[in-house]
Amino acid sequence: MSHSADYSKTSRDTLDSPEGLADRIAEILECPITIEDANHRIISYSKHDKNVDEARIATIMRRSVPEDVITSLWESGVMSRLFESNDPVFVPAIEKVGLGNRIAVSVHKHHDVLGFIWAQTNDTTITNEKMSLMKDAAKLVKNQLHQHHLKKKQSEESYQEFFWQLLVGHLQQPGEISQQAKRFGLAFGNSLCIAMIEFGCDITPTIEKHAYYLIETLYQPYAVCRIFNENQLIMLVNLESTPNPNNKLKTLIQDFIQKLTARLNIGHVKGGFGLTYDSPENMKDSYRQAMKVLELKEQLPDSLQHVYGYHELGIYQFLQDLNAIRNRDNYRNDAIERLRAYDKKNGSALVKTLHAYLDCDSNVHNAAKQIHVHTNTLNYRLKRITDIGEIDLKDTNQKITLYLDLLIEKIND
């Protein structure tokens, strides 16, 4: 009897029932089966005996695969193979996350992964026949997963216009926002903000697919809405019941960028987020703030390398406004101009030295280390700076003004 003949006995009622289909596949393969969507949420699972591993129990209880299991499957290379191939993959046990031996196969439609079938094979000998039967099973569940995929896609497309209206401030009435949110099944909490990921390249279908995958599998409790716009991923994030929301969101963004860049081997990805508010009508403000973080990170990559939140910007929040005032008044800092003229004539680096000294909060040792000179050399240059620039480095007002003007010059470079 051919492999397909094993499934040909499957009735139409079983095909239309996710649970019945999982049971039928389990019966043929003689092992417990789990059918998941592309984001590792359970579509159905078969009946099983008591001898099942911790990962299967946790998945069934949560209705989705635990984060540590997903991370381990990526680290072991299993997920990469499943995304790239239609063929079944043998998955050796990963004891640290309670995962026993598996056979897994992805369900594809054209170039899209619709979901996965997982067979726990701890008590089963894996044969070539079972591998072939897994491939046949993927064909059998394709239609159900495709319908699930279409419904989810339609739901996402329906709320995108609503999300944009929040971002640009076209929706300001709480009652209308609440009504729209209810219509699209969106749950807003009391700790909301906008987070953004910006790519240094065009967003390809592969980047979009993996970004959505990460959001759905690892960050689903937080990401309420998401949308791509040109080279940016914009998310409305709910941090309700999170003890330290700013720290949590910073960690999530760092983790998201690390995972995405590692899996796709891309660089120049940065992230930022705005302030947290207790109502969705303030998302226009959080969106503007998140964009400012990304803009300043582009202009000052070294200074803001470890900054993600608008609240972390400090005086950098005001540089663009100060720059506009300086331009309006045709202002120039005479002390800096004198130092720059001296540098140009003598090939020195007094302006650079002053910036490092101020950037390091007047710490001579740290500043010397930053520009790779000896402390004696830096002290000598500081004396030249005070003489040539006519600067009093003990005057706090002068130092703050000099530092701000040097930063403004950098965003104009």
Side-chain angles (χ1 to χ4, degrees):
M1 181 174 61
S2 68
H3 302 317
S4 59
D6 288 293
Y7 293 111
S8 66
K9 299 175 183 177
T10 305
S11 69
R12 173 54 55 185
D13 289 342
T14 299
L15 284 174
D16 292 338
S17 163
E19 293 75 17
L21 190 50
D23 283 334
R24 178 59 178 150
I25 296 171
E27 180 185 339
I28 293 170
L29 288 170
E30 300 177 326
C31 54
I33 293 293
T34 305
I35 302 174
E36 303 166 5
D37 68 12
N39 301 311
H40 299 293
R41 288 190 182 81
I42 287 187
I43 300 297
S44 64
Y45 59 93
S46 67
K47 304 179 184 70
H48 56 251
D49 296 326
K50 295 181 180 180
N51 190 21
V52 293
D53 56 39
E54 294 175 13
R56 178 174 170 84
I57 294 170
T59 297
I60 292 171
M61 291 181 65
R62 293 161 51 107
R63 301 298 300 177
S64 64
V65 181
E67 180 180 334
D68 59 345
V69 176
I70 296 171
T71 299
S72 296
L73 290 169
W74 275 103
E75 290 174 348
S76 65
V78 169
M79 293 311 306
S80 296
R81 283 182 283 157
L82 285 173
F83 268 95
E84 293 166 4
S85 174
N86 295 323
D87 294 325
V89 172
F90 171 68
V91 185
I94 306 176
E95 293 183 4
K96 66 178 182 179
V97 294
L99 186 80
N101 294 325
R102 295 281 194 280
I103 307 174
V105 66
S106 53
V107 181
H108 284 76
K109 185 174 180 63
H110 305 308
H111 299 294
D112 291 330
V113 174
L114 302 177
F116 309 94
I117 304 174
W118 299 83
Q120 180 182 318
T121 57
N122 289 354
D123 301 322
T124 306
T125 302
I126 300 173
T127 63
N128 290 335
E129 182 182 20
K130 287 192 183 297
M131 288 291 207
S132 296
L133 286 168
M134 279 290 285
K135 197 166 185 176
D136 288 339
K139 297 175 185 176
L140 197 65
V141 303
K142 180 186 294 186
N143 184 57
Q144 283 194 1
L145 289 178
H146 181 56
Q147 294 303 316
H148 175 82
H149 175 74
L150 287 178
K151 288 179 182 177
K152 195 170 187 306
K153 188 175 181 181
Q154 289 167 359
S155 174
E156 289 173 357
E157 290 173 351
S158 65
Y159 76 64
Q160 288 182 354
E161 183 178 352
F162 167 58
F163 188 22
W164 270 119
Q165 289 178 327
L166 283 179
L167 293 175
V168 300
H170 286 176
L171 283 177
Q172 285 293 291
Q173 299 301 317
E176 184 180 1
I177 292 173
S178 177
Q179 185 179 13
Q180 291 271 46
K182 186 176 181 180
R183 173 188 168 197
F184 298 120
L186 302 175
F188 294 137
N190 296 318
S191 184
L192 303 168
C193 80
I194 297 299
M196 297 175 64
I197 306 294
E198 185 170 278
F199 299 84
C201 61
D202 292 335
I203 294 175
T204 64
T206 299
I207 291 176
E208 185 171 337
K209 178 172 66 176
H210 278 266
Y212 275 162
Y213 171 83
L214 279 174
I215 293 169
E216 290 293 329
T217 55
L218 302 181
Y219 311 110
Q220 179 59 28
Y222 308 102
V224 179
C225 304
R226 76 280 174 88
I227 193 171
F228 273 104
N229 181 44
E230 296 182 353
N231 68 329
Q232 295 175 333
L233 169 62
I234 308 167
M235 295 176 282
L236 193 162
V237 182
N238 176 19
L239 295 164
E240 192 173 24
S241 303
T242 303
N244 299 298
N246 287 327
N247 291 340
K248 179 64 176 179
L249 188 48
K250 184 173 183 176
T251 301
L252 285 172
I253 290 177
Q254 289 173 323
D255 187 52
F256 182 93
I257 292 173
Q258 187 276 323
K259 283 183 167 64
L260 195 67
T261 53
R263 292 174 189 180
L264 299 181
N265 194 28
I266 57 175
H268 306 293
V269 181
K270 54 183 178 289
F273 59 94
L275 296 179
T276 301
Y277 295 93
D278 60 5
S279 59
E281 55 261 35
N282 292 114
M283 290 306 94
K284 66 182 190 307
D285 303 310
S286 192
Y287 178 45
R288 171 179 50 79
Q289 295 154 5
M291 287 196 295
K292 176 167 275 193
V293 173
L294 293 178
E295 184 179 349
L296 287 171
K297 283 171 76 77
E298 181 70 24
Q299 295 168 337
L300 303 165
D302 295 331
S303 300
L304 300 179
Q305 180 182 359
H306 302 294
V307 168
Y308 291 85
Y310 184 77
H311 68 288
E312 296 179 286
L313 286 176
I315 60 170
Y316 292 98
Q317 290 179 21
F318 314 110
L319 289 184
Q320 292 163 331
D321 296 329
L322 288 172
N323 184 39
I325 294 170
R326 293 297 201 222
N327 290 334
R328 183 196 65 196
D329 296 339
N330 293 314
Y331 167 89
R332 68 177 187 178
N333 190 308
D334 290 335
I336 294 174
E337 291 301 317
R338 286 191 288 270
L339 295 177
R340 183 168 285 109
Y342 183 88
D343 283 343
K344 185 175 181 180
K345 181 179 178 180
N346 298 280
S348 54
L350 297 186
V351 174
K352 178 181 178 181
T353 301
L354 176 61
H355 193 174
Y357 176 72
L358 296 174
D359 198 41
C360 293
D361 194 23
S362 304
N363 186 301
V364 173
H365 294 284
N366 290 344
K369 185 177 180 180
Q370 180 174 306
I371 60 176
H372 309 292
V373 298
H374 194 277
T375 53
N376 291 339
T377 301
L378 192 130
N379 280 320
Y380 171 76
R381 289 185 186 178
L382 290 176
K383 186 176 185 309
R384 299 297 294 152
I385 286 168
T386 58
D387 293 342
I388 296 164
E390 302 175 18
I391 296 169
D392 181 2
L393 290 176
K394 294 182 180 179
D395 185 326
T396 302
N397 184 51
Q398 278 196 47
K399 289 199 294 183
I400 292 174
T401 302
L402 286 165
Y403 188 51
L404 286 172
D405 286 339
L406 288 169
L407 289 175
I408 288 171
E409 283 188 359
K410 286 186 73 70
I411 70 171
N412 286 321
D413 286 347

